[in-house]
Amino acid sequence: MIARLPPVGQPVLPVSDRTFELPSQPANVRSIDRTYDMFGFVPVWLNSGTAALAAALIAALACRPGRREVLLPAYACPDLIAAALFAGARPVLVDCGADDPAFDPDALERACSERVAAVVAVNFLGIAERLPELAARAARCGALLIEDCAQWWPEAPPAAPVAARVVSFGRGKPVNLLGGGALLLPEGSELAQAVRAPEHTMPALGTLKRRVFAALLHPLPYGLLSRLPGLGLGETRYHALDAIMAMDRVRRELAATNIGAWLARSRWREARIAELLDDCAGVELLPRRLAARAGRLLRYPLLFVDRAHRDTVLRRLRDLGASAFYEVELPRVRGVDAVLSPLPPVPDATRFAERLLTLPLHDRVSERHLRRMAEVVMGVLR
């Protein structure tokens, strides 16, 4: 069988009459029927989420002169390292929990010092960090707290004050514009005053690119592409950030419609997975165990009892969009060893990475797909 569901992927929707208003929106966007709440944050529209984080870190270093370290979670996207290096910071990887993608509190306490300019708190697929605890720790060492929301679109204010929020409009993100990002800054804050607008603008998103991407989301063409040797579709590897640029006008015009569509999507697939796998021994439903921090999910994360069971389920469900996500902890991501040395031991992040599996939640996932996923998981663990 060639067809395969992609792990993520929503098509880019055209501008519609029913949308959310965004700050600094181009004048030719059509009329709206309600306003999207940025919760007091003002956006700086940029060429990627990585660029947005880099801009935040450049400003953080300016606001904390003499400090160069940035604390990052050890299980995360390598783009966090790319953003820190572009900003001229020294990325410091901090272990997470063996059963939780958030920072390990003890490891974070040991890493906090007078050398730290910023702590980056990553929202993991819709599961927030322990922001109140992080805000207190960052304040004690004089560092700024930045919330990375690249895997979640903010639909609530942060649980504690943050210096900035970062969002992404990449193709595997909640709001897909095939590129772009934004740095959300509290109006009048010290970081907002330190951020500088970029001089150049990213290339505009073309209609053909949108249509080709939408076609490739179908299971047959995606299945063909994912099987091509050497293509590395979906492979996690380190890529350096080249530049910080402003977002193009086309993506700015499309943003409101696509944000509104994401927030209007039903969450029935999340609820159905939880129902189908209720009381299934040998696998933990992270959104259920971390329910106090869980919001709308990009993918549904499962944590298996061991790697062997995870790998068996992954092999059997890959054609239904199952994924090991980053697959490995940050020190072992391809290319990281060339830019970061020495690589720290992060045993809990290793343990988390080898047991994690994510299930797709996008619009092509049907009830039949979800039932089959649950059957495979329960069959392997029986």
Side-chain angles (χ1 to χ4, degrees), residues 163-234:
R165 301 179 107 174
V166 171
V167 296
S168 174
F169 299 115
R171 62 179 181 272
K173 306 303 183 182
V175 181
N176 169 35
L177 299 177
L178 294 177
L183 177 58
L184 310 182
L185 298 164
E187 190 168 6
S189 66
E190 62 173 327
L191 211 63
Q193 296 174 41
V195 168
R196 296 293 176 260
E199 297 179 0
H200 303 287
T201 300
M202 69 186 295
L205 176 62
T207 302
L208 178 61
K209 184 175 181 178
R210 288 165 44 194
R211 289 176 177 172
V212 168
F213 178 80
L216 293 178
L217 289 177
H218 290 265
L220 183 57
Y222 179 81
L224 286 168
L225 277 179
S226 66
R227 288 173 168 82
L228 289 178
L231 189 60
L233 189 65

Side-chain angles (χ1 to χ4, degrees), residues 264-286:
R265 288 179 73 244
S266 170
R267 298 176 65 184
W268 71 268
R269 294 173 182 85
E270 298 177 28
R272 190 67 175 125
I273 290 174
E275 180 182 11
L276 289 168
L277 294 178
D278 187 40
D279 296 326
C280 180
V283 65
E284 194 156 29
L285 312 184
L286 279 184

Side-chain angles (χ1 to χ4, degrees), residues 20-339:
F20 285 74
E21 183 180 20
L22 298 176
S24 303
Q25 191 169 280
N28 64 344
V29 173
R30 299 186 219 178
S31 60
I32 61 160
D33 62 359
R34 54 179 172 159
T35 299
Y36 176 70
D37 189 357
M38 288 276 185
F39 310 111
F41 289 79
V42 177
V44 179
W45 306 103
L46 298 169
N47 53 310
S48 68
T50 310
L53 179 57
L57 294 178
I58 290 171
L61 294 181
C63 292
R64 298 292 184 270
R67 298 179 177 227
R68 309 305 298 174
E69 292 186 354
V70 173
L71 304 188
L72 307 174
Y75 185 81
C77 178
D79 289 347
L80 271 65
I81 295 176
L85 293 177
F86 186 94
R90 176 176 175 261
V92 176
L93 304 186
V94 179
D95 210 356
C96 67
D99 304 308
D100 190 329
F103 283 119
D104 173 74
D106 292 336
L108 184 67
E109 186 67 34
R110 290 192 297 270
C112 284
S113 72
E114 70 282 354
R115 299 183 300 273
V116 177
V119 179
V120 179
V122 175
N123 184 300
F124 180 75
L125 299 174
I127 299 174
E129 251 283 8
R130 304 182 187 95
L131 286 182
E133 181 179 331
L134 292 190
R137 289 176 185 269
R140 285 201 296 271
C141 72
L144 296 167
L145 179 61
I146 298 169
E147 186 183 19
D148 187 312
C149 300
Q151 300 167 19
W152 177 70
W153 181 264
E155 50 190 306
V162 297
R165 301 179 107 174
V166 171
V167 296
S168 174
F169 299 115
R171 62 179 181 272
K173 306 303 183 182
V175 181
N176 169 35
L177 299 177
L178 294 177
L183 177 58
L184 310 182
L185 298 164
E187 190 168 6
S189 66
E190 62 173 327
L191 211 63
Q193 296 174 41
V195 168
R196 296 293 176 260
E199 297 179 0
H200 303 287
T201 300
M202 69 186 295
L205 176 62
T207 302
L208 178 61
K209 184 175 181 178
R210 288 165 44 194
R211 289 176 177 172
V212 168
F213 178 80
L216 293 178
L217 289 177
H218 290 265
L220 183 57
Y222 179 81
L224 286 168
L225 277 179
S226 66
R227 288 173 168 82
L228 289 178
L231 189 60
L233 189 65
E235 179 186 1
T236 301
R237 64 174 71 183
Y238 173 83
H239 295 282
L241 176 63
D242 295 326
I244 298 177
M245 295 182 285
M247 184 189 286
D248 61 288
R249 181 186 181 96
V250 174
R251 286 182 173 86
R252 290 267 297 277
E253 292 174 351
L254 292 167
T257 291
N258 285 272
I259 292 170
W262 171 256
L263 294 174
R265 288 179 73 244
S266 170
R267 298 176 65 184
W268 71 268
R269 294 173 182 85
E270 298 177 28
R272 190 67 175 125
I273 290 174
E275 180 182 11
L276 289 168
L277 294 178
D278 187 40
D279 296 326
C280 180
V283 65
E284 194 156 29
L285 312 184
L286 279 184
R288 173 174 290 180
R289 185 167 66 80
L290 305 176
R293 291 157 40 203
R296 186 183 301 272
L297 299 174
L298 177 60
R299 311 186 195 191
Y300 201 102
L302 305 176
L303 206 59
F304 284 79
V305 64
D306 56 38
R307 180 171 189 164
H309 286 89
R310 191 285 303 271
D311 288 351
T312 301
V313 172
L314 179 60
R315 285 194 301 271
R316 297 183 184 181
L317 288 184
R318 199 178 292 276
D319 287 345
L320 290 182
S323 167
F325 205 40
Y326 299 132
E327 297 188 356
V328 294
E329 65 278 18
L330 256 179
R332 290 204 296 142
V333 169
R334 183 177 174 184
V336 166
D337 59 346
V339 297

